[in-house]
Amino acid sequence: MSRPTPLRDVHEGLGATLTDFAGWRMPLRYGSESAEHKAVREAAGLFDLSHMGEIFVTGPQAAAALDYALVGHLSAVTPGRARYTMIVNERGGVLDDLIVYRLGDEEFMVVANASNYEKVGDELKNRAKSYDVVVEDRSQQYALIAIQGPRSQEILATLTDADLAGLKYYAGLPGLVDGRQALIARTGYTGEDGFELFVANQDAVPLWHTLMAAGEPHGLKPAGLSSRDTLRLEAGMPLYGNELSAELTPFDAGLGRVVKFDKPGDFVGRSALEAVKDDPPRRRLVGLVARGRRVPRHGYPVTKDGAVVGEVTSGAPSQTLGKPIALAYVDTGADSGLAVDIRGSHEPMDLVELPFYRRNK
């Protein structure tokens, strides 16, 4: 049985198409996913992300515990800032990619993907046993609403006195939004400017309605998982289970920069990652743009001269580019003459630099 988010009645009232995702009943789309995608690129979109996990690590040794448990240097993060990082196994395989918010000197919030947060919580508890910390999964206490798009600050500013203009990317601050306590974070998964609002479950419905009322004159639309996926794909952002898995290291995914070997002490997976950090990867993650109209999808083979040289991890029509696009792992050195086998037809692809889309700042 899939769990509903605190906004279930809102989604049903809007006529959303609902789907089961990572054990949750989530809105796939409210109408046209292309219109939702376009709204985020040109104005703003409102997302229910309450399926994400929030795990709190608190105590005198919270920073040291996270330095050991994760690949990032979390003790170097100042209060009020956030860091994209990963948790890996002893072999260096990615168990999840995370955003960690430092809320205070001795308090961190680890935000994990919906499909992994229970596993992440268990791993953090196990890895923190020898540290003076408390690890607590508070995922059931929080709703998460994201407003994303170039007009998101303009809309949100009508409902809060928080200093949004001074809030840097990957930073967060506590504040009141429409009189309701929230952690306001300048983070997102769309390639656009925007904010993620962590609020108590009981505040989710009234806050959603207030945001929609404030934003509709500016073009704000509710947006579902379908548009969120095409937006993150255009931005070249990885999705766990597609571009990331326990069989791949951060270096395989081209994200070796998140591994901080220069931090003090040991960390889980360090030896395995040090052994491969200077090795050229057998495959690399690349962007592909179709020359035709057929869409490459997850799992389709990538070929060169008829031979398989890789596999598509994510693919969709790009509303912004007007062409089908894909992320794929391909053999190192396979840089040209690529195609994707789409049901027996080898459709030619151009390899491009990621991301496919980069917003004007």
Side-chain angles (χ1 to χ4, degrees):
M1 177 76 71
S2 297
R3 288 172 286 187
T5 77
L7 289 160
R8 175 185 61 183
D9 291 346
V10 171
H11 304 319
E12 291 178 348
L14 290 169
T17 299
L18 300 175
T19 189
D20 293 335
F21 180 78
W24 293 83
R25 194 73 173 158
M26 297 295 296
L28 191 63
R29 67 182 69 84
Y30 297 87
S32 163
E33 61 192 66
S34 61
E36 294 168 22
H37 181 112
K38 188 170 185 282
V40 176
R41 287 283 180 252
E42 297 180 359
L46 199 64
F47 297 85
D48 176 12
L49 306 181
S50 303
H51 60 316
M52 302 292 281
E54 292 87 19
I55 302 155
F56 283 71
V57 181
T58 57
Q61 293 185 303
L66 288 173
D67 277 348
Y68 172 71
L70 309 178
V71 301
H73 190 182
L74 282 309
S75 61
V77 178
T78 56
R81 300 305 303 268
R83 183 70 50 85
Y84 175 76
T85 187
M86 296 180 183
I87 183 169
V88 302
N89 57 31
E90 291 284 2
R91 302 183 306 278
V94 179
L95 299 177
D96 203 12
D97 61 334
L98 314 163
I99 296 180
V100 179
Y101 298 85
R102 189 166 195 171
L103 306 180
D105 289 339
E106 299 183 358
E107 184 179 22
F108 293 79
M109 180 175 69
V110 178
V111 177
N113 285 299
S115 57
N116 294 328
Y117 75 85
E118 292 176 335
K119 173 179 65 180
V120 170
D122 289 342
E123 283 290 337
L124 289 176
K125 287 177 183 177
N126 184 56
R127 297 178 187 191
K129 282 180 179 177
S130 62
Y131 294 86
D132 185 9
V133 297
V134 174
V135 178
E136 184 182 7
D137 184 348
R138 300 183 193 171
S139 303
Q140 306 309 314
Q141 300 175 30
Y142 284 91
L144 175 55
I145 297 172
I147 181 169
Q148 299 280 300
R151 305 195 75 173
S152 56
Q153 180 177 313
E154 179 183 358
I155 295 166
L156 187 57
T158 66
L159 301 174
T160 182
D161 291 330
D163 181 15
L164 301 182
L167 188 63
K168 296 179 180 179
Y169 187 50
Y170 266 69
L173 80 170
L176 295 177
V177 181
D178 189 36
R180 304 174 193 280
Q181 189 64 48
L183 174 66
I184 306 167
R186 197 166 210 144
T187 45
Y189 192 54
T190 63
E192 295 296 338
D193 188 20
F195 302 87
E196 295 183 320
L197 309 174
F198 297 84
V199 298
N201 286 334
Q202 65 268 23
D203 290 333
V205 170
L207 183 57
W208 177 282
H209 288 312
T210 302
L211 284 163
M212 284 304 307
E216 279 181 325
H218 301 280
L220 177 69
K221 291 183 180 294
L225 291 181
S226 286
S227 61
R228 188 169 183 250
D229 191 53
T230 54
L231 289 158
R232 72 92 193 167
L233 177 57
E234 287 184 346
M237 295 176 167
L239 174 66
Y240 194 87
N242 290 38
E243 288 75 42
L244 301 172
S245 76
E247 307 308 314
L248 297 167
T249 73
F251 294 97
D252 292 325
L255 293 168
R257 65 183 181 276
V258 307
V259 182
K260 303 302 181 184
F261 293 110
D262 57 350
K263 63 180 175 178
D266 194 13
F267 62 89
V268 177
R270 179 172 195 141
S271 296
L273 293 173
E274 281 187 322
V276 300
K277 66 182 176 67
D278 295 322
D279 294 344
R282 185 178 66 85
R283 284 187 168 181
R284 62 193 184 99
L285 188 65
V286 301
L288 300 176
V289 176
R291 296 180 186 174
R293 307 306 302 174
R294 300 188 72 184
V295 181
R297 299 290 187 183
H298 174 75
Y300 286 8
V302 180
T303 64
K304 179 180 174 68
D305 299 327
V308 175
V309 295
E311 184 175 292
V312 172
T313 54
S314 297
S318 167
Q319 303 294 327
T320 306
L321 277 64
K323 300 176 181 180
I325 61 174
L327 293 172
Y329 279 105
V330 301
D331 292 348
T332 298
D335 296 328
S336 61
L338 299 178
V340 172
D341 183 348
I342 302 179
R343 298 174 184 171
S345 175
H346 290 240
E347 300 291 329
M349 300 281 154
D350 291 319
L351 188 148
V352 300
E353 291 293 322
L354 293 172
F356 300 100
Y357 165 84
R358 194 185 303 272
R359 69 182 174 93
N360 295 322
K361 296 186 179 181

